[in-house]
């Protein structure tokens, strides 16, 4: 049986997890819509500090109302479990989009950046700092709408409540220098993280990377990033200036507010000049560093060349000779290195050319273990990076696509990339028949719940459901159904009945009367009464009266006689009684009966 929170939120499936909570897709049974539920992990249920942070998240985000921020609908507690109910967003997170499509065009990057910056500006205006801005926490719908989510470590700030915890929270690739030093985060920390995302959108990579989180954090403090235009020549210089100002290490050089950043993005998009000094890194920066807990970068030192004093003539000749010797030695070393490189390259090319070819087997519709065996038998390997997508055609865990395609001839040892089915993307189908619902409203409800399959309609008459309203649905209410599955709705085309004149069935038998009424689409109700004038089982009267207007399909009443009916004169019986009375008063001897006249 599905878990239900608060008596109304039915869990459909688990869709993610974070350090503090598990995220589920659920259905709000009261409002009949799909929602997201964030449930605090069990190990934190008894940790009062975590519970306070969890509740603070809900209170902070609930105060926000912005098209680019995931809305919070409800907060509750089920037993010892704390949960938050939020808007369900159908789409992918920005990190997945960067991984698949970056570098993006300038227009695409600015379109996303403007939406994200607008959301952050709205949060800052309500004194909320996100503190964990990163692509993983930004969802993008199919129509390109960006929505910032996961305020798991957001905190409402004011001059009276700000405290320094010393915690460094957030993904280290998007960590501001202040956070890396353990200083208090502010609005400019979010702006720095936004700048890192902009950098990644147009270059396809983060400016700072390393083998350990500490190494990456030190680079945020010490190193200067490569200019985006050096990684992607299509990046315009003025747009590059916006990015470099957003990720300036010094808060004094950085944008002071999300509003400023959004203004510059709008100016650039509109083709208007950006009147701010440029912030660019110094190439080949030679900085002097000191180590105080964590290293910090000192200002670059400019070194002026000092002209050498005039040397003695003998020393000039010796130095000239040594220079020539060194020059020839380096020429020999360079020549040998070139020869070695050519030899190694030739050997590698020869080995490549001598490698045999093989035909790629068809692994679509197979599981990964089976596909691995097929590929190994053909001298190929399965690429370890496996993508997963929903599929109505292939069952869960079966391969949907492969690259290279089946029957392609490739070199032995090549890797084959595959896409694995996550099964059909299903949901709980809504109820559009429980109360009279128009055809248009039913279609809107179905589509708002994320069902995109073709909707077909059939009509039938109904005396109980108004015209153009839904009579039946397929699939049934609350059925688990593929999001792209077909849907069939039966729509009422109104009552099949019309007004007619009440047939005259008086003086007909009850059976004949009922037959006539039913043939006219009327529903007869039979009542009986005693009658000495109408024979039994004969209709005495009707309601309505014959000839009056009546609606087909409605009930009519017929009154049937129970008898005894009219008094009849029995001639034979009464005549016999009369003769008997006469004979009783005449003497027998006076009566002569001639038997044979």
């Amino acid at each position: 049986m599905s878990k239900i929170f608060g008596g109304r939120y039915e869990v459909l499936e688990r869709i993610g997890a974070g350090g503090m909570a598990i995220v589920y897709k659920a259905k709000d049974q009261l409002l009949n819509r799909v929602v997201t539920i964030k449930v605090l992990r069990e190990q934190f249920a008894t940790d009062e500090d975590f519970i306070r942070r969890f509740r603070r998240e809900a209170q902070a985000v609930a105060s926000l109302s912005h098209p680019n921020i995931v809305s919070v609908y409800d907060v509750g507690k089920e037993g010892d479990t704390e949960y938050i109910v939020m808007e369900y967003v159908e789409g992918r997170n920005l990190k997945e989009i960067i991984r698949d499509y970056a570098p993006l065009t300038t227009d695409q990057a600015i379109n996303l950046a403007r939406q994200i910056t607008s959301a952050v500006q709205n949060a800052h205006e309500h004194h909320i700092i996100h503190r964990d801005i990163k692509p993983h926490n930004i969802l993008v719908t199919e129509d390109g709408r960006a929505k910032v989510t996961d305020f798991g470590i957001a905190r409402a700030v004011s001059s009276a409540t700000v405290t320094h915890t010393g915690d460094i929270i957030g993904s280290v690739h998007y960590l501001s220098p202040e956070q890396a030093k353990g200083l208090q985060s502010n609005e400019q920390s979010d702006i720095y993280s936004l700048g890192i995302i902009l950098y990644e959108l147009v270059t396809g990579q983060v400016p700072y990377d390393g083998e350990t989180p500490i190494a990456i954090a030190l680079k945020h403090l010490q190193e200067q990033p490569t200019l985006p235009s050096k990684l992607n020549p299509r990046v315009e210089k003025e747009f590059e200036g916006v990015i470099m100002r957003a990720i300036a290490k010094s808060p004094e050089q950085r944008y002071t507010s999300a509003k400023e950043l959004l203004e510059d993005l709008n100016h650039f998009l509109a083709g208007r000049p950006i009147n701010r000094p440029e912030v660019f890194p110094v190439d080949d920066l030679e900085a002097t560093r000191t180590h105080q807990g964590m290293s910090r970068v000192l200002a670059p030192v400019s070194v002026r060349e000092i002209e050498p004093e005039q040397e003695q003539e003998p020393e000039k000749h010796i130095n000239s000779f040594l220079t020539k010797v060194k020059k020839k030695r380096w020429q020999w070393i360079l020549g040998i290195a070139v020869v070695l490189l050519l030899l190694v390259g030739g050997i590698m090319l020869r080995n490549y050319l001598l490698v045999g070819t093989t035909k790629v087997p068809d692994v679509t519709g197979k599981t990964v273990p089976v596909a691995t065996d097929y590929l190994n038998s053909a001298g190929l390997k399965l690429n370890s990076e496996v993508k997963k997508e929903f599929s109505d055609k292939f069952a869960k865990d079966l391969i949907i696509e492969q690259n290279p395609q089946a029957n392609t001839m490739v070199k032995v040892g090549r890797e084959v990339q595959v896409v694995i089915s996550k099964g059909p993307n299903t949901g709980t189908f809504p109820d559009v028949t429980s109360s009279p619902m128009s055809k248009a409203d039913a279609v809107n409800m179905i589509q708002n719940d994320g069902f995109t399959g073709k909707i077909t309609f059939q009509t039938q008459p109904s005396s109980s459901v108004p015209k153009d309203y839904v009579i039946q649905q397929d699939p049934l209410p609350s059925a688990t159904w593929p999001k792209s599955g077909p849907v069939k709705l039966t729509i009422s085309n109104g009552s099949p009945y019309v007004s007619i004149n009440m047939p005259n069935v008086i003086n007909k038998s009850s059976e004949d009367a009922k037959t006539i009424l039913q043939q006219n689409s009327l529903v007869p109700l039979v009542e009986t009464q005693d009658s000495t004038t109408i024979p039994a089982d004969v209709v005495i009267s009707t309601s309505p009266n014959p000839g009056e207007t009546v609606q087909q399909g409605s009930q009519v009443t017929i009154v049937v006689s129970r008898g005894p009916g009219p008094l009849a004169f029995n001639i034979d019986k009464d005549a016999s009684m009369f003769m008997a009375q006469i004979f009783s008063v005449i003497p027998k001897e006076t009566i002569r009966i001639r038997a044979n006249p």
Side-chain angles (χ1 to χ4, degrees), residues 124 129 131 133 174-176 178-179 183-194 254:
H124 288 177
I129 301 173
R131 303 181 76 234
I133 295 288
Y174 307 90
L175 202 68
S176 69
E178 308 92 76
Q179 290 172 293
L183 301 178
Q184 177 63 47
S185 300
N186 57 23
E187 286 86 349
Q188 287 183 289
S189 301
D190 282 351
I191 294 170
Y192 183 91
S193 301
L194 278 171
R254 206 180 302 158

Side-chain angles (χ1 to χ4, degrees), residues 420-492:
I420 306 297
S421 170
K422 295 196 292 186
N425 185 12
T426 62
T428 301
F429 201 81
D431 184 0
V432 296
T433 59
S434 59
S435 60
M437 183 175 293
S438 69
K439 174 182 174 181
D441 289 344
V443 170
N444 287 337
M445 176 178 285
I446 291 169
Q447 293 176 343
N448 288 340
D449 280 4
F451 292 90
T452 59
K454 182 179 180 181
I455 302 176
T456 57
F457 305 93
Q458 64 181 21
T459 60
Q460 73 178 46
S462 174
S463 58
S464 59
V465 178
K467 185 179 181 181
D468 294 329
Y469 279 65
V470 180
I471 300 173
Q472 294 176 340
Q473 65 179 79
D474 182 18
L476 296 174
S478 301
T480 300
W481 195 251
K483 287 296 183 72
S484 59
V487 177
K488 182 185 292 184
L489 298 180
T490 302
I491 308 299
S492 170

Side-chain angles (χ1 to χ4, degrees), residues 103-106 199 202-204 226-240 268:
L104 304 183
T105 65
T106 299
Y199 187 103
V202 297
T203 66
T226 302
L227 290 175
S229 60
K230 290 187 176 181
L231 300 174
N232 180 5
R234 294 179 301 173
V235 177
E236 298 178 46
K237 187 173 181 62
E238 199 166 24
F239 184 38
E240 183 175 62
F268 180 81

Side-chain angles (χ1 to χ4, degrees), residues 307-313 315-316 319:
E307 295 183 3
E309 295 182 359
Q310 191 174 3
E311 299 179 358
Q312 300 294 328
E313 278 302 314
E315 292 177 342
K316 285 185 178 180
N319 290 338

Side-chain angles (χ1 to χ4, degrees), residues 351-382:
N351 290 340
Y352 176 79
L353 293 175
L354 290 178
V355 170
T357 59
T358 184
K359 182 184 289 187
V360 179
D362 185 2
V363 296
T364 56
K366 297 177 175 59
T367 62
V368 169
V370 173
T372 301
D373 291 341
Y374 271 72
L375 295 173
N376 291 344
S377 299
L380 303 171
K381 300 177 183 177
L382 183 69

Side-chain angles (χ1 to χ4, degrees), residues 540-559:
I540 302 172
S541 63
T542 63
S543 178
N545 295 319
E548 291 183 353
T549 301
V550 63
Q551 180 72 26
Q552 286 184 321
S554 61
Q555 296 178 334
V556 296
T557 302
I558 59 175
V559 180

